[in-house]
Amino acid sequence: MARLSVAERIAAEVAALANIPREELVAHWSKRFGRAAPKGSGRKLLELAAAYAIQEQAFGGLRPEARRGLTVESDIPSLSEGATLRRSRQQTISTIKPGTRLVREWNGRTHHVEMVEGGFIWNGQTHRSLSTIAKQITGAHWSGPRFFGL
């Protein structure tokens, strides 16, 4: 029987994640990150985290310069520093300059939103928040910044 290369072995381990019960993936998350998996996290996210851990163990993690680049050059503080995701998105919105155009496709239709002083213009109307626009587009409550990928 032929011996598997490291890459083939890792690929097989990652492929096998599809057959692991979700509860085992959640336990893996807890062990890896030292806290429970995010509430409502989907199986795909749990599989991706486990796959990254397998690859990181076999091939090593990010190079130090890449890790520094992610922490030093990022305008958004890491969650481990106590920042909340909501605050991070708000900081992102506050850095958007008037005249910036946001584009989002939803159900086959492209929506353009322009940032203006004091709000956003969509379909010729001014709105104070992206969330009201996202709700009108989708018919459901969405975080506007999340909907527009900020």
Side-chain angles (χ1 to χ4, degrees), residues 35-105:
R35 61 179 155 243
K39 189 174 186 172
S41 55
R43 181 177 177 86
K44 185 70 175 172
L45 175 64
L46 298 170
E47 285 181 17
L48 287 170
Y52 182 82
I54 291 168
Q55 294 172 67
E56 182 180 44
Q57 186 176 22
F59 304 118
L62 291 173
R63 285 183 251 143
E65 60 271 13
R67 187 176 298 279
R68 275 193 303 276
L70 289 172
T71 56
V72 173
E73 294 179 21
S74 174
D75 290 336
I76 301 173
S78 72
L79 294 177
S80 63
E81 294 172 352
T84 64
L85 195 53
R86 176 174 284 136
R87 192 173 343 137
S88 297
R89 285 200 184 103
Q90 189 59 44
Q91 289 171 343
T92 302
I93 290 173
S94 66
T95 62
I96 298 174
K97 296 179 181 169
T100 300
R101 195 167 215 204
L102 304 173
V103 179
R104 170 67 198 253
E105 185 177 334

Side-chain angles (χ1 to χ4, degrees):
M1 181 148 103
R3 220 171 160 184
L4 295 177
S5 70
V6 173
E8 291 170 326
R9 183 179 54 80
I10 299 307
E13 285 183 46
V14 169
L17 292 173
N19 300 320
I20 293 176
R22 185 178 190 284
E23 294 76 26
E24 197 172 321
L25 291 169
V26 169
H28 181 320
W29 180 288
S30 298
K31 182 179 175 186
R32 169 114 167 93
F33 296 107
R35 61 179 155 243
K39 189 174 186 172
S41 55
R43 181 177 177 86
K44 185 70 175 172
L45 175 64
L46 298 170
E47 285 181 17
L48 287 170
Y52 182 82
I54 291 168
Q55 294 172 67
E56 182 180 44
Q57 186 176 22
F59 304 118
L62 291 173
R63 285 183 251 143
E65 60 271 13
R67 187 176 298 279
R68 275 193 303 276
L70 289 172
T71 56
V72 173
E73 294 179 21
S74 174
D75 290 336
I76 301 173
S78 72
L79 294 177
S80 63
E81 294 172 352
T84 64
L85 195 53
R86 176 174 284 136
R87 192 173 343 137
S88 297
R89 285 200 184 103
Q90 189 59 44
Q91 289 171 343
T92 302
I93 290 173
S94 66
T95 62
I96 298 174
K97 296 179 181 169
T100 300
R101 195 167 215 204
L102 304 173
V103 179
R104 170 67 198 253
E105 185 177 334
W106 182 258
N107 287 341
R109 188 167 168 222
T110 303
H111 299 274
H112 300 270
V113 175
E114 185 175 342
M115 172 77 170
V116 293
E117 199 65 45
F120 305 90
I121 295 178
W122 174 68
N123 282 352
Q125 295 182 324
T126 303
H127 300 268
R128 290 184 353 170
S129 83
L130 286 173
S131 295
T132 58
I133 296 169
K135 186 171 185 174
Q136 287 183 15
I137 291 171
T138 65
H141 178 73
W142 270 77
S143 160
R146 175 180 258 173
F147 180 77
F148 286 99
L150 301 176

